[in-house]
Amino acid sequence: MGLRLPTSLSRIVKPARIFEEFPAPSYRGAQKQALSDIQSAFEADNDVVLVRAPTGSGKSLLARAIAGCARRANAEDPTKPVGAYYTTPQVSQLDDVAGDDLLADLNVIRGKNNYSCILPGETNTPVNQAPCARERAFDCQVKHRCPYFSDRSIASNRDIAAMTLAYFMQTAGSDVFGTRDVVVIDEAHGLGQWAEMYATIDLGPETVPMWESKRPPDIDDLEDLAAYAEGLIAVSERRKEELKGNAELTPQEVADRDSLNELVSDLQWFLEDYRDPESVTTWVVDQLDGEGSPVTVKPMNPERYLKHTIWDRGQKFALLSATILNKESFCANVGLDPDRVALVEVPHTFPVENRPLYDVTQGKMTYEHREQTLPDIARTVVRVMTGHPDEKGLIHCHSYAIKEQLRDHLDDFGVGERVRGHDRDDRDGQLSSWKRTDDPDVFLSVKMEEALDLEGDLCRWQVICKAPYPNTRDSRVARRLEDGEWGWYYRAALRTVIQACGRVVRAPDDHGATYVADSSLLDLFERARHDMPDWFAAQVDRMSEPDLPAFDPAGATAGDSGGRSSRKRRTRRSRSRSASGRDRSSPMADVWDTE
């Protein structure tokens, strides 16, 4: 049985206001019907309403209307929560909200590292490293004007506070951001996955300040990890006491102190939960390279974590996404009682012929087949480029290894001057540069299946190189498959594909083609058919093999403009940096905005 929210508070939200709270001057597509269905779902006394709304349906406007239904201050019972939270896991989504005039009353607050100190001589210092964080008993005379504390004060005192999901989770238990009446989570399809990732504890040189002197032994099981964690906590506490004794800390010592606080908190939480005989959490541990190498410990089931960080934060919830594919499975994964959850389906209003799928499969892209298949995919990409000589394209590479190999093949074929890419440290800059150019460049991307708006001529075609199945080397994934959770495995991949397909068609009059290159995608479409939204099934049913031009590298660059040599050199230097760039601990690091 899943979590049941307090039913005695079920009438706090005022769904009858949903139409007057809609912020746009008129409706488009299926928005009016969606609002009516959402209103009915809340009036039926559901605690949670899942809104499955496809790309371009105006989810942010629907979210604002729902948030506006929250109970207001000075209403009939002043002891009950008021106001609403709007939260999303994606930084770019929050940026869009902050820049939308129709959503101006969503008061945005971000993590401290996104704000600069205003003290003289500190204007280039992020607030999380400012004198108030470095100096013991520092009394800031301008705290009332500090951009971070000012935004925090405004957001905490207004009807709707907007923040990333990471910040929302971090403020659980905060006196500033307590329980509110309504919580709206946009792009909520991966809530369980994000919670698991956010609850993951990574022990390595980036998270353990004394790593070189406290490398772990060979960790065979959770008991080994518990013993190592106890020793690490003891050393960390001693180092924290040393830092407390300093009147002023250096920026590096501030970073170490914050890392130690987080490390101790995480490890104590793990030890408490692991040794609690009544805990329902299953933990798994990975140490891929043996003694002395980094360790990762992960919870299999996020219910306990989500209860504290999400479900205790509101009385009513609206979760919006294009890809909440299966209500019962979603509820089980996040700890909700499906009997208290309603699903509202918003139809797709973009013509299916404007968003075609094309079968250009060349074989499997599994690890054992990749060396054989990838050159054929590269040749196909050249043919697709030739068929779109004057239009920008996007390649979903799935991993940096595939991206580098594909780039090498395209360089060898002589079309590299039309190709761009990014590494882990410059993704935003390279993406912005590509979006700004008028040249028909092709962008090799990694983990850009979500939160990317490429409307109109920003991009007219894309290629999905690999079926995006979860990594079976991850012990959490392997454990799920051992338990027979193959439906979850296929839904996870399908969700990513559907999200990817939405990048290039953003409006009813927009159009863009998606080419699928991995034959495993065809198998995925068959296995996950019963979980497909009807509008995506219609795309799959219309999928055809395109009549592509012959392999002709010269033709693939025929629409390209000149004057690119300097940029090409910069791109090659970027690729060299990528080869030696450090890997981030979480695959969500590129989209999460953390402190």
Side-chain angles (χ1 to χ4, degrees):
M1 196 62 141
L3 175 71
R4 295 177 64 91
L5 302 178
T7 56
S8 61
L9 299 173
S10 62
R11 293 299 179 184
I12 292 178
V13 66
K14 302 295 183 182
R17 292 205 311 261
I18 198 166
F19 288 98
E20 65 187 74
E21 292 292 337
F22 186 72
S26 61
Y27 304 110
R28 61 180 175 85
Q31 288 175 336
K32 188 173 184 179
Q33 183 61 49
L35 291 175
S36 178
D37 292 343
I38 293 167
Q39 176 184 354
S40 298
F42 276 120
E43 288 177 341
D45 205 25
N46 290 291
D47 297 320
V48 181
V49 176
L50 310 180
V51 183
R52 187 157 69 187
T55 300
S57 56
K59 289 194 296 295
S60 296
L61 300 179
L62 299 176
R64 167 59 187 82
I66 297 167
C69 295
R71 185 178 182 278
R72 295 168 180 167
N74 302 317
E76 59 272 12
D77 186 347
T79 66
K80 293 180 179 178
V82 300
Y85 288 115
Y86 169 88
T87 181
T88 173
Q90 298 168 352
V91 178
S92 60
Q93 183 77 15
L94 192 67
D95 292 341
D96 291 343
V97 166
D100 191 333
D101 292 340
L102 294 175
L103 305 173
D105 59 348
L106 271 67
N107 296 275
V108 175
I109 175 65
R110 304 175 188 271
K112 288 183 180 179
N113 59 313
N114 293 278
Y115 299 85
S116 295
C117 181
I118 59 174
L119 289 171
E122 300 284 353
T123 53
N124 292 323
T125 304
V127 171
N128 63 332
Q129 296 181 6
C132 60
R134 301 197 310 261
E135 300 179 25
R136 180 154 43 91
F138 180 81
D139 182 16
C140 182
Q141 300 300 308
V142 295
K143 184 176 180 179
H144 62 289
R145 292 194 290 114
C146 171
Y148 169 72
F149 287 102
S150 176
D151 275 7
R152 191 182 73 164
S153 177
I154 292 171
S156 65
N157 286 286
R158 298 293 170 84
D159 289 336
I160 307 174
M163 59 195 70
T164 63
L165 188 62
Y167 188 89
F168 183 68
M169 289 179 168
Q170 289 168 349
T171 56
S174 162
D175 292 334
V176 178
F177 293 110
T179 300
R180 294 201 174 192
D181 183 25
V182 173
V183 177
V184 180
I185 305 178
D186 206 350
E187 301 297 343
H189 48 272
L191 186 58
Q193 179 187 9
W194 294 319
E196 288 175 351
M197 289 182 177
Y198 194 64
T200 292
I201 303 171
D202 290 300
L203 304 176
E206 296 173 13
T207 59
V208 180
M210 68 292 295
W211 175 254
E212 290 304 324
S213 61
K214 284 295 294 181
R215 284 176 175 265
D218 190 14
I219 304 292
D220 285 331
D221 53 32
L222 290 169
E223 275 300 318
D224 289 344
L225 178 65
Y228 175 61
E230 288 177 336
L232 209 51
I233 289 173
V235 173
S236 298
E237 293 288 8
R238 288 196 296 270
R239 177 57 179 157
K240 284 169 60 179
E241 289 301 316
E242 292 174 5
L243 292 174
K244 285 181 182 179
N246 296 341
E248 181 175 355
L249 303 179
T250 66
Q252 182 58 54
E253 288 173 331
V254 170
D256 287 349
R257 179 201 61 195
D258 294 344
S259 293
L260 290 168
N261 284 332
E262 183 175 358
L263 178 65
V264 170
S265 176
D266 286 347
L267 292 178
Q268 287 177 337
W269 172 56
F270 159 69
L271 288 173
E272 177 185 353
D273 187 272
Y274 171 60
R275 288 174 174 163
D276 180 358
E278 297 183 0
S279 173
V280 298
T281 305
T282 299
W283 293 88
V284 293
V285 60
D286 286 326
Q287 187 185 37
L288 297 180
D289 298 318
E291 182 178 354
S293 66
V295 175
T296 301
V297 58
K298 316 163 192 178
M300 285 291 298
N301 39 352
E303 288 88 345
R304 178 183 177 188
Y305 188 78
L306 284 174
K307 183 180 185 305
H308 172 59
T309 59
I310 302 290
W311 308 128
D312 286 349
R313 310 287 296 280
Q315 307 300 327
K316 290 290 184 180
F317 294 80
L319 310 182
L320 298 89
S321 171
T323 50
I324 296 176
L325 301 179
N326 181 291
K327 172 188 163 182
E328 285 69 27
S329 174
F330 179 85
C331 290
N333 195 38
V334 299
L336 290 173
D337 178 358
D339 292 337
R340 305 288 300 172
V341 178
L343 175 63
V344 170
E345 183 84 48
V346 181
H348 208 315
T349 58
F350 297 1
V352 67
E353 58 269 20
N354 288 6
R355 41 188 173 92
L357 280 174
Y358 290 116
D359 178 359
V360 294
T361 54
Q362 299 299 309
K364 291 186 177 182
M365 277 290 288
T366 51
Y367 185 78
E368 61 270 22
H369 294 99
R370 188 176 305 165
E371 185 175 349
Q372 177 181 348
T373 304
L374 193 55
D376 293 334
I377 289 180
R379 291 178 67 87
T380 301
V381 168
V382 173
R383 296 178 65 195
V384 175
M385 291 168 64
T386 306
H388 297 270
D390 301 310
E391 295 176 328
K392 295 162 73 172
L394 177 71
I395 313 294
H396 294 285
C397 298
H398 184 71
S399 71
Y400 285 98
I402 292 175
K403 186 208 75 170
E404 292 299 326
Q405 294 172 45
L406 180 59
R407 180 60 190 263
D408 288 340
H409 287 302
L410 295 176
D411 283 346
D412 291 342
F413 291 150
V415 299
E417 64 182 16
R418 192 181 162 188
V419 177
R420 297 183 181 218
H422 67 91
D423 60 27
R424 292 176 175 85
D425 299 319
D426 69 353
R427 56 187 285 124
D428 292 339
Q430 293 291 346
L431 176 63
S432 296
S433 175
W434 172 67
K435 290 172 69 174
R436 288 194 303 268
T437 186
D438 293 328
D439 295 319
D441 287 359
V442 179
F443 193 74
L444 305 185
S445 71
V446 179
K447 292 184 176 65
M448 290 190 180
E449 296 91 351
E450 301 184 32
L452 185 58
D453 185 343
L454 299 175
E455 184 173 358
D457 290 336
L458 285 175
C459 188
R460 289 297 183 192
W461 59 273
Q462 59 183 346
V463 177
I464 302 178
C465 282
K466 185 182 183 302
Y469 288 111
N471 184 2
T472 55
R473 294 185 66 199
D474 184 309
S475 58
R476 187 165 44 203
V477 174
R479 180 67 173 266
R480 286 189 173 215
L481 296 184
E482 288 174 6
D483 292 341
E485 296 186 39
W486 289 95
W488 164 84
Y489 185 67
Y490 295 126
R491 280 191 296 272
L494 178 64
R495 184 172 60 232
T496 302
V497 171
I498 294 175
Q499 289 285 341
C501 288
R503 297 313 96 206
V504 297
V505 184
R506 309 293 299 180
D509 58 351
D510 197 5
H511 63 89
T514 298
Y515 298 86
V516 295
D518 179 3
S519 61
S520 295
L521 286 163
L522 305 182
D523 180 65
L524 170 65
F525 292 157
E526 182 177 344
R527 291 178 180 274
R529 176 75 188 208
H530 63 285
D531 285 319
M532 283 184 188
D534 290 343
W535 55 266
F536 187 73
Q539 281 181 260
V540 173
D541 289 343
R542 296 182 82 256
M543 183 168 57
S544 62
E545 296 183 11
D547 185 15
L548 293 176
F551 178 75
D552 179 14
T557 57
D560 205 8
S561 62
R564 294 168 174 271
S565 59
S566 62
R567 196 207 75 212
K568 186 176 179 182
R569 287 194 296 270
R570 290 196 300 271
T571 302
R572 290 188 182 278
R573 285 197 295 270
S574 174
R575 292 176 62 208
S576 296
R577 289 196 302 272
S578 175
S580 60
R582 61 179 177 85
D583 192 7
R584 296 185 180 182
S585 60
S586 167
M588 299 304 291
D590 291 326
V591 297
W592 275 23
D593 175 22
T594 56
E595 285 280 298

